[in-house]
Amino acid sequence: MSWLTAEEALRALKTKPQTLYANVSRGRIRAKPDPADPRRSLYQAADVQRLAERHAGRRKAETVAAETIRWGDPVLSSAISTIIRGRLFYRGQDAADFAAAATLEQTAALLWNGAAAASSDSAGKYAPPSLQAAFLALAGRVTADLPSLGRSQAALRRDAHDVLSTVADALAPGPSDQPLHVRLAASWQRPQAADCLRCALVLLADHELNASTFAARVTASAGAALSASVLSGLSTLTGPLHGAAWQGVDALIEATAGVGAEQAIRRTLAQGNSLSAFGHPLYPDGDVRALTLLSHFPLPAKFTELRDAGEAMVGEKVNIDFALAAMASAFDLPREAPIIVFSLARTTGWLAHAMEQIESGQLIRPRARYAGPAPETIASR
């Protein structure tokens, strides 16, 4: 990955420093501290070149459209969340500040623009949290639930309550009169982790147009049931480049235990693999969600070793995937705890985006830029 100094970036862009900094804050240009001088920043060359070409008017419309799907400008308008100058906001409220005391239920109320409460009809003995159970429960609803198209926001919000309850019964089983973070901590028999889980759930509730949220919006745009949108989001979240990135962190920790953090990082980079524990394109100065969550518990020794070595060698700070894996280790939670927490939290965001997409009345249907064999000539008739 090639990096430019501020002077080089400004020459390529033919713009003022204020414009360069604005593009960084909006996530259009990735930046990192200059290892030679921490007071200065370096800027990702490919991002600078992309913007320079756009400003020069040399790109075709289909190229612009294609790049919007790959960390480009937002492809959809949304009033739900955004990242500005390294801070995450939920409907204008700073998410890190909101996470100081809010619950996931209160976050759902904020994201949905209406009162939210996760209720449950389950009773008696509760099964452990299970991602498989969430998939099965959602799949069982999809063909029975009403399509979302043509229904009022009040009706959709009632459906959203019900879908969240279905997911909560699978991922945080427990009495309906208890907050979801308390239910989740109790289900793992770790009551001391409840407040940390609460914070993590709030911080992970939404994150603009990430891959799983986009999948959920595409499903909703076709008029499918809200349960189908959540099922689409959940399926996408399980990918190793998204919600399952914590597994890469676990692998680094295992290697650190064997050969030390520096050698583990060197081996990973030498094999051509990325380090899922470090960096995020939208947070050039560090993932605010990770910084907030890590302040809630003592960092285990191996994670401290990995963080210190990685940040020095890579030049990027740890991200939310690192923080989730560290939280699971600190409280001795089950190995799959990060994806359970992520899935439960992000369900609220998927539902918010699905309802917003339905209200827009627009079908998401991009065109493909054909790159296959030349079509055969159609004989004239």
Side-chain angles (χ1 to χ4, degrees), residues 120-144:
S120 168
D121 294 328
S122 62
K125 188 175 181 180
Y126 303 106
S130 167
L131 195 63
Q132 181 181 20
F135 271 109
L136 292 173
L138 286 168
R141 291 188 60 134
V142 168
T143 56

Side-chain angles (χ1 to χ4, degrees), residues 34-58:
D34 187 344
D37 185 354
R39 296 170 297 178
R40 298 165 58 89
S41 294
L42 298 178
Y43 303 89
Q44 220 289 307
D47 294 343
V48 172
Q49 183 63 27
R50 172 175 54 81
L51 284 182
E53 290 178 355
R54 185 178 70 177
H55 294 159
R58 294 197 293 267

Side-chain angles (χ1 to χ4, degrees), residues 26-369:
R26 296 185 181 114
R28 294 172 179 169
I29 296 178
R30 285 166 284 184
K32 70 174 184 178
D34 187 344
D37 185 354
R39 296 170 297 178
R40 298 165 58 89
S41 294
L42 298 178
Y43 303 89
Q44 220 289 307
D47 294 343
V48 172
Q49 183 63 27
R50 172 175 54 81
L51 284 182
E53 290 178 355
R54 185 178 70 177
H55 294 159
R58 294 197 293 267
R59 298 190 307 160
K60 295 182 179 180
E62 65 267 20
T63 303
V64 175
E67 288 193 358
T68 61
I69 299 177
R70 299 196 311 271
W71 293 105
D73 295 331
V75 295
L76 292 171
S77 295
S78 176
I80 297 170
S81 70
T82 189
I83 299 99
I84 301 175
R85 293 188 294 275
R87 305 294 295 185
L88 172 63
F89 295 88
Y90 294 159
R91 293 198 182 275
Q93 294 197 37
D94 189 298
D97 293 342
F98 192 65
T103 64
L104 184 61
E105 291 87 341
Q106 292 168 332
T107 308
L110 175 62
L111 297 179
W112 300 356
N113 265 339
S119 60
S120 168
D121 294 328
S122 62
K125 188 175 181 180
Y126 303 106
S130 167
L131 195 63
Q132 181 181 20
F135 271 109
L136 292 173
L138 286 168
R141 291 188 60 134
V142 168
T143 56
D145 288 355
L146 285 173
S148 57
L149 198 62
R151 301 175 65 211
S152 71
Q153 283 293 302
L156 291 174
R157 197 172 289 120
R158 287 195 297 270
D159 275 7
H161 287 297
D162 200 34
V163 173
L164 179 57
S165 295
T166 294
V167 174
D169 284 344
L171 300 183
S176 61
D177 60 348
Q178 292 185 354
L180 290 173
H181 64 278
V182 174
R183 288 167 51 171
L184 187 54
S187 68
W188 284 328
Q189 299 181 0
R190 295 293 184 274
Q192 69 275 20
D195 190 64
C196 193
L197 289 169
R198 177 199 57 74
C199 179
L201 289 169
V202 174
L203 292 169
L204 288 165
D206 197 57
H207 204 236
E208 203 219 56
L209 291 177
N210 53 84
S212 59
T213 297
F214 188 71
R217 289 191 76 127
V218 170
T219 302
S221 79
L226 290 182
S227 54
S229 290
V230 173
L231 185 58
S232 294
L234 187 60
S235 299
T236 307
L237 188 72
T238 61
L241 297 182
H242 194 6
W246 61 273
Q247 296 182 84
V249 182
D250 270 6
L252 270 175
I253 288 296
E254 290 178 8
T256 295
V259 298
E262 183 174 338
Q263 188 62 27
I265 292 169
R266 287 184 180 278
R267 286 184 182 180
T268 302
L269 294 175
Q271 293 167 356
N273 298 322
S274 61
L275 297 170
S276 57
F278 301 93
H280 192 291
L282 296 180
Y283 299 104
D285 296 322
D287 190 334
V288 66
R289 301 168 299 171
L291 296 174
T292 303
L293 183 57
L294 289 172
S295 69
H296 278 66
F297 60 91
L299 196 60
K302 290 300 178 186
F303 284 85
T304 300
E305 181 185 353
L306 179 62
R307 180 198 61 190
D308 294 347
E311 291 184 351
M313 296 171 68
V314 181
E316 301 274 9
K317 294 185 182 297
V318 294
N319 55 29
I320 190 62
D321 302 306
F322 174 93
L324 283 174
M327 179 185 70
S329 176
F331 291 101
D332 194 24
L333 303 178
R335 186 175 183 274
E336 69 277 10
I339 191 67
I340 295 288
V341 173
F342 210 148
S343 301
L344 178 60
R346 193 56 58 86
T347 294
T348 61
W350 295 329
L351 288 166
H353 280 272
M355 289 186 282
E356 185 180 63
Q357 184 62 40
I358 293 160
E359 188 174 24
S360 76
Q362 297 176 345
L363 174 68
I364 299 174
R365 204 300 189 185
R367 292 297 309 276
R369 184 169 58 190

